[in-house]
Structure formats: structure tokens, C-alpha cells
């Protein structure tokens, strides 16, 4: 257990939380006031339980509205309960009582987390987090509720799985486009609920989106943060997994979780007919010939990654004699000792530059704007050590504790600023060396590091897994505060009027986002209806992802491994809600 769980306090936290839970339930039943329940600046974040969506309410009026909407939804007393393998009430720290709550709603089992302080003569919530954890009519077949495995129709397991994969006995409930970690994790949740997902992916094998990338690629987050649903890594798994290992793990996960995946398959058309989709897919058959098939799922989920699949390419005038690639088109191997310019200093730009240097190329990195850089060691030890490590609470608890703090709350901002400052101290020598090499550093939005950059724009930072030392020692040259304005045959011209000779150019300039992928695959009308995807809305919730869009039956899933693991649960439950509503 972490240091947090070893602290103690004279306050009877369980009694305080139990009394608040009773008063909260009474206020819901009576449609009462929030005055003695919440402090003036309180937040209530709800995932499906009482709002039917992902919402973060802030301030007296918004909380009163949320409390009123809970009336008729809450179907049981609210109690202080201990989640599996954990404690019900955390030791009081700085006068704050933190407790887990349990309750039932009209649809299923709920869970909550409340943080309480003494104010105005009573204990009031600084923040409340409530979630719908399971649908009563679609419980997860996991743990004590796992299936027994006995066949009920006389078929062998192999025969049943073959029929399921080929859709012999019916249409899928959900078509998931993209069989990366987001799509696979969502499919695992859906299948455990008794729904039938089908994944399609253009790659030849599950995991190829990792295998075919440059050789230096490793996960930038520690292993404890990167688990997939229902399936922890072996205790021998490395802290930062290399790409081939991750690709093989995804393929094994799909097999172990009995997920139906059609590889070498692309969507060529889709239209909504009544309450189902008619989707045409082109699939390579065992005979090597492509076949077109129409399937009719009730729901489609686009799970091709937060960044999307449509490269963002700057408009650069002139001609260049050598190859010009987007980073997504660079699969490693280098150029045989050539002079290569890499444009962009996010994770991809650094990773590509590192691979090129490892292959013997001469690399110049073009840094168009300041970049937040943090070492993987600082992330693992300072940022995530207490929550995601070999001595931390279970992953499910750390996920819940992290998600319980609304993204835009003052407490979350202060916490991110403190963590960013602590990591900067850990990385002080690295940062001094980078600055001396001409690399311009950022501390993120208002000093909050990578998290707000990730949630707001999906980039603008680098978690160092080896490239920074090449910049610090001059192996990789850096030109900062400039952009490429023109090609001139054998080199590039920069915005300050200077020129660099080059044999190849790689543009690590990002992607157009998930909405552009939707536009490319499903058309402009659907993409326009769905609206912006990713970035924070006025409440601090991520736009468009893991929640209902304006297009019935169409959803987005994305995020890094940790975000996808946590929020795909609620996306699966939302899809389950809609399936139950239409059946």
C-alpha cells in the first residue's frame, strides 16, 4: 500500500462519510437543497449514473439541478462500501475524509467517491464522483460471475468460435472499426456483457500497428498503467514494453478474450437504415481474393486512435530531390547514413529521430514551438509511483481515484502543477542539458505538464525514452523557433531565412483527429453531425469520445492505454443502455 494508506487521523472517517451518505440520499428522495451537502465551490462528476452521460457539474445551481435529476433514479440507500481488495474509507489527510460509496440506480449498480471537509458546522463535499458500474440486465460475466464453459448446443468450442467469427448465426450488435488497444478493450467489455462485437482492421494481423513501426519504439508509460481490461500483465513484464512485444500481447489478448476480429478488412460504405447500420466491408479471403460483404450492426464505434489516421501535412512550396515522408509512413531502418531533417518535437518526432540516429543517419530536429519534456523515470517514480507501481493499490482503484477529480477543478490543477514541478526537479540536469543544446522547453498549460496538453490537443510533449540524451550531447542537432517554408531541391529553407542541406525529410506534424477519420470513412455529413472529437468542453469533459454523439448508434473510442481501459467500461455500458432501450 502507498504512504497515503498508512496515514491515520483521530477523525472517525467512516462515521462522517456514513452520515453524509444518509443525508445525501435523503436530499435526493426529497428533492432537497444542496446547502448542507456541498461547499460553495464543489464539483460533482457523474459517469452515466444520474446524468446519462459524462458530466462535471460545478457550483450551487448546477449541483442543485443534478441533485434534482437524481430523484427517481436512485433506488437504494447510499452506503459506505469497500471496493474489491481495498478499503471503504481512506485515512484522513489534511482534514479531508475520502470514502467510497455504493448504491443502486434504476438501471444497475453504482459506485461513488466523496471527499468531505468540515465547513459551516457540518461535513460537506468538496467533490463527489458517481458512476454506473454495471447494468442489472447485462451484468459482466467476470470474476465470480464468469461462465462455466460448458457447451449448451452440442458444438465444440472450436466450432462455436468459428461460427461466431464468420457471423454464421447472426449479425453483430456492435461493429468496432480498429483493433488496437481501444477497440480490443471495448470489445472485451461488450462481450462480457453478453453483447456481440465484431472488430475490423486493415492490418494483416492484430498488433501490426505496433510491429510495423520504427525499431526504437517502446511504450512511454509504465506497465502498471498500461493494463487491458480483465487481463493484467505477467509479473515479469518490462516496465516499458517494446513495440513487437506489445503487438504480440494485443494479438494474444484478442485470442484469449475470444474477440472476433476481421483483419485485412476495410469499410467501404455505411448508411443508417431504421435502427441499424448497413455496412459494406471489403475483406481478403483465404483464397487471397477480396470479397465484399454487408453486415448490419446496431452500433458502430470508430476506434482508430485519438490522433486519427489522416496525416497533417504542412504546405511547403518548392521541390525536393529526396524522399519526404509523414512520420506515419516511416517504418524504421534509416536512410543509410544520410542527412535527415525531422520536423516536429512531440513523441513521434523524438522517436523517429532516435531511430534514425540508431541507424547511423545525421539528424536535425526542427522545433517549431516550445515542448514539454519529462523523463520516463520521472513519470514512473514521481507522477505515477503512488498509483501505478508494484506497491500501489489495485489498478482499478487507482483508475477510480484519478478519474474522481474533475479535469478543470482547482484541486486537479494544483495537483498537476505540483507533480509537474516535482518532475522538473527530478529532471533538472536533463532540462539544463537540453536548454544548453538550444532546445526550448515548456511546462505545459499553466505549469500542468503533459496531462492538459494530452486532453486539450493530444500532443505538444515528449516522454523521454532515450532521444533527449542525443539532443543533449549534440548527436541530434536542433533548430528551435523556426518552421520549414520551402524546399529548394537539395535542402530546406527555414522561416528565419537560413537553409539546411538534407537528403530526406520526415514530417512528424501530427494527424487531423478522429473526426477527420470519420469523414474519410463514413462521409462529411456524419462527421459534421458528430462535431468536434477530443479536447475539453466547458465542463472539462473530453468531447465526443466514450459518450453519445449527435448521430444515433455512432461512437468514438480512443485514448492511451490507461484512459481507454477506464472509460471504455462506460462506453460499453452506454451502448448496453441503448441496446436495452430498443429491445
Amino acid at each position: 500500500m502507498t504512504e497515503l494508506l498508512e496515514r491515520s487521523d483521530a477523525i472517525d472517517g467512516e462515521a462522517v462519510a456514513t452520515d453524509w451518505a444518509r443525508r445525501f440520499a435523503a436530499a435526493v428522495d426529497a428533492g432537497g437543497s444542496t446547502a448542507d451537502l456541498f461547499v460553495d465551490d464543489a464539483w460533482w462528476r457523474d459517469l452515466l449514473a444520474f446524468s446519462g452521460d459524462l458530466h462535471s457539474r460545478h457550483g450551487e445551481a448546477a449541483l442543485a439541478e443534478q441533485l434534482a435529476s437524481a430523484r427517481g433514479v436512485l433506488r437504494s440507500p447510499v452506503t459506505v462500501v469497500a471496493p474489491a481488495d481495498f478499503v471503504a474509507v481512506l485515512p484522513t489527510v489534511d482534514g479531508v475524509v475520502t470514502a467510497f460509496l455504493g448504491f443502486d440506480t434504476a438501471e444497475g449498480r453504482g459506485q461513488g467517491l466523496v471527499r468531505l471537509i468540515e465547513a459551516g458546522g457540518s461535513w460537506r463535499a468538496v467533490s463527489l464522483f458517481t458512476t454506473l458500474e454495471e447494468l442489472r440486465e447485462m451484468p459482466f460475466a467476470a470474476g465470480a460471475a464468469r461462465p462455466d464453459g460448458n457447451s449448451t448446443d452440442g458444438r465444440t468450442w472450436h466450432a462455436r468460435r468459428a461460427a461466431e467469427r464468420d457471423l454464421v448465426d447472426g449479425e453483430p450488435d456492435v461493429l468496432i472499426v480498429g483493433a488496437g488497444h481501444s477497440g480490443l478493450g471495448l470489445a472485451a467489455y461488450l462481450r462480457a456483457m453478453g453483447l456481440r462485437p465484431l472488430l475490423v482492421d486493415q492490418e494483416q494481423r492484430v498488433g501490426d500497428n505496433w510491429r510495423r513501426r520504427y525499431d526504437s519504439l517502446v511504450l512511454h508509460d509504465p506497465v502498471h498503467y498500461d493494463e487491458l481490461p480483465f487481463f493484467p500483465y505477467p509479473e515479469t513484464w518490462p516496465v516499458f514494453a517494446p513495440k513487437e512485444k506489445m503487438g504480440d500481447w494485443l494479438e494474444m489478448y484478442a485470442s484469449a478474450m475470444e474477440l472476433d476480429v476481421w483483419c485485412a478488412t476495410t469499410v467501404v460504405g455505411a448508411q443508417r437504415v431504421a435502427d441499424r447500420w448497413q455496412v459494406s466491408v471489403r475483406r481478403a479471403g483465404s483464397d487471397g481474393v477480396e470479397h465484399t460483404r454487408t453486415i448490419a450492426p446496431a452500433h458502430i464505434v470508430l476506434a482508430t486512435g485519438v490522433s486519427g489516421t489522416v496525416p497533417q501535412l504542412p504546405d511547403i512550396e518548392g521541390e525536393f530531390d529526396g524522399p519526404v515522408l509523414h512520420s506515419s509512413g516511416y517504418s524504421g531502418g534509416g536512410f543509410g547514413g544520410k542527412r535527415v531533417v525531422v520536423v516536429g518535437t512531440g513523441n513521434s518526432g523524438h522517436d523517429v529521430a532516435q531511430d534514425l540516429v540508431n541507424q547511423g543517419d545525421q539528424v536535425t530536429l526542427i522545433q517549431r514551438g516550445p515542448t514539454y519534456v519529462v523523463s520516463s523515470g520521472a513519470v514512473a517514480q514521481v507522477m505515477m509511483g503512488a498509483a501505478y507501481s508494484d506497491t500501489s493499490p489495485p489498478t482499478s482503484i487507482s483508475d477510480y481515484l484519478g478519474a474522481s477529480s474533475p479535469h478543470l477543478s482547482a484541486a486537479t490543477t494544483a495537483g498537476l502543477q505540483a507533480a509537474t514541478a516535482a518532475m522538473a526537479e527530478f529532471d533538472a540536469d536533463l532540462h539544463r542539458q537540453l536548454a544548453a543544446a538550444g532546445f526550448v522547453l515548456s511546462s505545459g498549460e499553466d505549469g500542468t505538464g503533459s496531462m492538459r496538453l494530452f486532453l486539450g490537443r493530444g500532443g505538444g510533449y515528449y516522454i523521454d525514452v532515450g532521444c533527449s540524451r542525443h539532443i543533449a550531447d549534440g548527436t541530434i542537432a536542433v533548430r528551435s523557433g523556426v518552421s520549414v517554408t520551402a524546399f529548394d531541391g537539395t535542402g530546406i529553407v527555414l522561416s528565419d531565412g537560413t537553409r539546411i542541406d538534407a537528403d530526406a525529410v520526415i514530417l512528424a506534424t501530427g494527424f487531423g483527429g478522429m473526426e477527420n477519420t470519420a469523414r474519410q470513412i463514413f462521409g462529411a455529413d456524419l462527421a459534421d453531425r458528430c462535431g468536434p472529437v477530443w479536447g475539453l468542453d466547458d465542463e472539462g469533459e473530453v468531447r465526443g469520445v466514450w459518450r453519445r454523439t449527435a448521430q444515433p448508434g455512432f461512437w468514438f473510442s480512443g485514448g492511451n492505454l490507461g484512459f481507454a481501459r477506464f472509460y471504455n467500461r462506460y462506453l460499453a455500458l452506454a451502448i448496453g443502455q441503448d441496446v436495452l432501450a430498443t429491445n
Side-chain angles (χ1 to χ4, degrees):
M1 288 296 175
T2 66
E3 180 184 350
L4 175 67
L5 301 181
E6 295 169 358
R7 298 187 181 186
S8 62
D9 197 283
I11 297 170
D12 186 345
E14 184 166 1
V16 167
T18 298
D19 178 68
W20 187 90
R22 177 190 57 77
R23 290 188 286 122
F24 172 76
V28 170
D29 289 341
S33 168
T34 63
D36 66 340
L37 291 174
F38 297 92
V39 301
D40 291 341
D41 195 39
W43 286 80
W44 181 353
R45 189 175 191 215
D46 180 73
L47 309 185
L48 296 180
F50 298 111
S51 64
D53 197 5
L54 280 57
H55 284 293
S56 290
R57 311 295 196 191
H58 179 225
E60 183 179 354
L63 266 60
E65 181 181 348
Q66 181 79 356
L67 190 70
S69 69
R71 190 178 189 185
V73 176
L74 186 63
R75 294 293 177 87
S76 74
V78 179
T79 58
V80 176
V81 296
D85 302 321
F86 206 60
V87 295
V89 181
L90 276 63
T92 302
V93 178
D94 296 330
V96 179
V97 171
T98 303
F100 286 90
L101 307 174
F103 53 87
D104 289 327
T105 73
E107 294 183 298
R109 177 176 62 86
Q111 183 171 289
L113 184 81
V114 64
R115 295 181 176 91
L116 302 166
I117 63 171
E118 197 168 11
S122 65
W123 286 89
R124 303 184 184 189
V126 175
S127 68
L128 174 63
F129 183 46
T130 52
T131 59
L132 178 65
E133 289 295 294
E134 192 168 51
L135 293 170
R136 187 172 294 106
E137 296 185 46
M138 286 185 180
F140 290 108
R146 71 178 74 229
D148 63 19
N150 291 321
S151 175
T152 59
D153 60 7
R155 292 183 296 178
T156 66
W157 178 82
H158 286 289
R160 176 176 59 80
R161 288 294 298 128
E164 288 175 346
R165 278 193 299 269
D166 292 336
L167 305 185
V168 170
D169 51 357
E171 297 288 347
D173 298 299
V174 185
L175 173 67
I176 302 173
V177 182
H181 67 265
S182 289
L184 293 170
L186 173 61
Y189 281 124
L190 292 168
R191 186 171 177 86
M193 292 166 59
L195 293 172
R196 186 172 186 177
L198 171 69
L199 299 107
V200 297
D201 197 287
Q202 64 184 358
E203 301 289 357
Q204 296 299 310
R205 292 169 56 195
V206 172
D208 276 355
N209 61 324
W210 286 89
R211 295 187 190 94
R212 64 180 177 78
R213 300 179 73 185
Y214 35 86
D215 291 339
S216 64
L217 180 63
V218 298
L219 266 67
H220 291 203
D221 294 317
V223 58
H224 317 87
Y225 182 70
D226 289 337
E227 289 181 5
L228 294 166
F230 308 117
F231 209 127
Y233 295 104
E235 293 185 3
T236 57
W237 198 262
V239 176
F240 301 102
K243 66 183 183 76
E244 292 89 356
K245 193 173 183 69
M246 193 63 204
D248 290 349
W249 181 258
L250 292 179
E251 189 171 42
M252 185 177 70
Y253 181 82
S255 175
M257 300 303 293
E258 300 187 3
L259 305 180
D260 300 326
V261 186
W262 289 1
C263 288
T265 302
T266 56
V267 177
V268 295
Q271 59 179 336
R272 186 77 169 170
V273 179
D275 60 352
R276 301 192 78 87
W277 294 91
Q278 297 294 319
V279 185
S280 296
V281 299
R282 186 174 295 123
R283 183 186 184 196
S286 58
D287 55 2
V289 178
E290 288 191 339
H291 304 270
T292 299
R293 180 168 176 178
T294 299
I295 55 179
H299 299 268
I300 296 175
V301 181
L302 186 62
T304 51
V306 167
S307 297
T309 57
V310 182
Q312 281 186 323
L313 298 172
D315 186 13
I316 303 173
E317 63 181 25
E319 301 293 332
F320 184 67
D321 296 340
V324 179
L325 303 175
H326 187 265
S327 57
S328 60
Y330 176 71
S331 57
F335 293 91
K338 301 295 186 180
R339 300 163 300 181
V340 186
V341 171
V342 178
V343 182
T345 52
N347 279 325
S348 292
H350 278 87
D351 285 348
V352 169
Q354 181 178 347
D355 186 78
L356 291 166
V357 165
N358 291 344
Q359 301 298 330
D361 289 317
Q362 306 163 46
V363 180
T364 300
L365 198 57
I366 305 299
Q367 183 185 25
R368 296 170 295 173
T371 309
Y372 176 67
V373 175
V374 61
S375 69
S376 57
V379 171
Q381 297 179 47
V382 180
M383 183 72 172
M384 293 187 173
Y388 299 99
S389 70
D390 291 316
T391 57
S392 68
T395 298
S396 61
I397 299 300
S398 293
D399 284 347
Y400 207 81
L401 287 168
S404 67
S405 296
H407 294 308
L408 295 185
S409 71
T412 299
T413 298
L416 290 174
Q417 289 170 334
T420 300
M423 288 189 290
E425 184 176 349
F426 185 97
D427 287 335
D429 288 342
L430 172 65
H431 287 175
R432 278 194 293 269
Q433 293 171 30
L434 288 174
F439 193 94
V440 180
L441 294 162
S442 163
S443 60
E445 179 186 325
D446 296 326
T448 56
S450 61
M451 183 56 70
R452 291 274 171 84
L453 290 171
F454 173 63
L455 293 173
R457 50 186 278 206
Y461 60 90
Y462 171 55
I463 300 175
D464 179 35
V465 290
C467 185
S468 288
R469 64 183 173 85
H470 294 304
I471 297 172
D473 66 17
T475 304
I476 295 175
V478 178
R479 292 296 307 275
S480 297
V482 293
S483 58
V484 180
T485 58
F487 294 122
D488 70 351
T490 59
I492 61 170
V493 179
L494 301 177
S495 54
D496 63 359
T498 60
R499 182 184 179 281
I500 299 176
D501 290 326
D503 300 303
V505 175
I506 296 181
L507 302 170
T509 48
F511 295 84
M514 297 182 76
E515 63 267 36
N516 286 313
T517 304
R519 186 179 305 275
Q520 186 180 64
I521 298 176
F522 296 100
D525 289 345
L526 181 143
D528 289 343
R529 281 195 297 276
C530 291
V533 181
W534 207 252
L536 298 180
D537 63 19
D538 292 341
E539 296 182 347
E541 295 296 336
V542 180
R543 298 179 298 182
V545 187
W546 317 301
R547 56 197 304 192
R548 290 177 174 83
T549 69
Q551 170 60 61
F554 193 89
W555 315 74
F556 292 91
S557 175
N560 60 26
L561 281 140
F563 271 75
R565 174 185 62 250
F566 182 77
Y567 288 101
N568 269 337
R569 181 186 189 101
Y570 303 102
L571 172 53
L573 291 171
I575 292 172
Q577 287 175 323
D578 284 8
V579 170
L580 291 172
T582 56
N583 286 347

